Amino acid sequence: GAGVSQSPSNKVTEKGKDVELRCDPISGHTALYWYRQSLGQGLEFLIYFQGNSAPDKSGLPSDRFSAERTGGSVSTLTIQRTQQEDSAVYLCASSSTYTTSFGSGTRLTVV
Amino acid sequence: AQSVTQLGSHVSVSEGALVLLRCNYSSSVPPYLFWYVQYPNQGLQLLLKYTTGATLVKGINGFEAEFKKSETSFHLTKPSAHMSDAAEYFCAVTITNTGFQKLVFGTGTRLLVSP
């Protein structure tokens, strides 16, 4: 497809379980970002991949959160031992020079 | 570090009225500024951006914004609101010397349009 694709679109999980969220960026975009959108909190930066450089993990809220990007393309955000406060929409974005495109997000609900 | 402040979590206007959504930024270096719109259950769509050059920026759907360095502002306006403009709007800032963007977002303003 032409846009950033995220899956699943919705995920309900039990507290304590691990979840994986997937992002397929636009082909050719070398930069990839994960943001978290919580109600009333705006968009919170989580992690940034740029080419083959070490990722900028400065926004990850705890060591339960991790992300990887394989082959410079698809990225997976993993949340271990989920907590109720992890409930949010997780947005992925990819960039070429001066253009950033967002996916529709994964809505995560921890029950 | 950069930051943006959006004044008003909710703005209500009547159809046909002026839309004004406020954004103030903080940046120690010349910023790049953006407005994004988010419709329900969708991702963010770029409305417009200011990088360099002309300070009045025109975007999609009749929106425009003016970069005012003296006021550290980048307010979004539209002369006449349409029902379809009802959405959440986010202002964002970045500084970049690489051409890639690590955007810092405001908390968003929900625009409500009444008939």
Side-chain angles (χ1 to χ4, degrees):
Chain A
V4 178
S5 177
Q6 292 188 247
S7 60
S9 55
N10 283 280
K11 176 72 176 180
V12 180
T13 190
E14 293 181 353
K15 179 181 174 181
K17 299 285 189 182
D18 298 351
V19 294
E20 286 188 351
L21 313 180
R22 177 187 169 101
C23 174
D24 273 290
I26 291 174
S27 178
H29 281 193
T30 59
L32 186 148
Y33 311 77
W34 284 96
Y35 287 85
R36 179 168 68 176
Q37 185 176 20
S38 304
L39 190 63
Q41 299 293 318
L43 281 86
E44 174 189 13
F45 165 78
L46 297 178
I47 188 169
Y48 163 47
F49 296 90
Q50 170 53 51
N52 295 320
S53 302
D56 177 349
K57 303 179 181 180
S58 59
L60 295 178
S62 77
D63 59 6
R64 296 186 295 105
F65 287 73
S66 63
E68 63 177 19
R69 189 179 185 191
T70 55
S73 181
V74 172
S75 178
T76 302
L77 176 69
T78 301
I79 308 174
Q80 296 178 310
R81 305 180 302 282
T82 51
Q83 304 295 313
Q84 287 188 328
E85 61 263 29
D86 299 335
S87 296
V89 176
Y90 290 82
L91 289 169
C92 176
S94 68
S95 285
S96 63
T97 305
Y98 299 118
T99 300
T100 299
S101 298
F102 283 81
S104 298
T106 294
R107 182 175 298 277
L108 175 66
T109 304
V110 182
V111 298
Chain B
Q2 311 84 49
S3 66
V4 291
T5 302
Q6 292 184 241
L7 298 178
S9 59
H10 292 80
V11 170
S12 295
V13 300
S14 298
E15 191 172 20
L18 171 72
V19 175
L20 171 61
L21 304 182
R22 299 178 186 274
C23 173
N24 288 88
Y25 70 90
S26 173
S27 178
S28 57
V29 298
Y32 294 176
L33 294 158
F34 304 79
W35 276 99
Y36 282 84
V37 61
Q38 186 179 34
Y39 298 102
N41 299 316
Q42 295 187 25
L44 277 71
Q45 178 182 5
L46 181 66
L47 273 179
L48 49 79
K49 62 183 178 184
Y50 168 77
T51 52
T52 58
T55 56
L56 181 62
V57 181
K58 295 185 184 299
I60 62 171
N61 301 339
F63 284 92
E64 61 183 36
E66 187 170 11
F67 171 62
K68 292 187 177 180
K69 184 178 178 180
S70 62
E71 299 178 5
T72 62
S73 70
F74 191 59
H75 302 330
L76 182 71
T77 61
K78 181 174 181 177
S80 177
H82 192 274
M83 295 296 291
S84 61
D85 294 327
E88 188 141 22
Y89 293 80
F90 292 92
C91 182
V93 64
T94 188
I95 60 169
T96 178
N97 57 8
T98 67
F100 294 97
Q101 305 160 7
K102 178 181 170 181
L103 295 163
V104 175
F105 286 88
T107 53
T109 298
R110 184 169 298 278
L111 178 65
L112 306 170
V113 182
S114 56

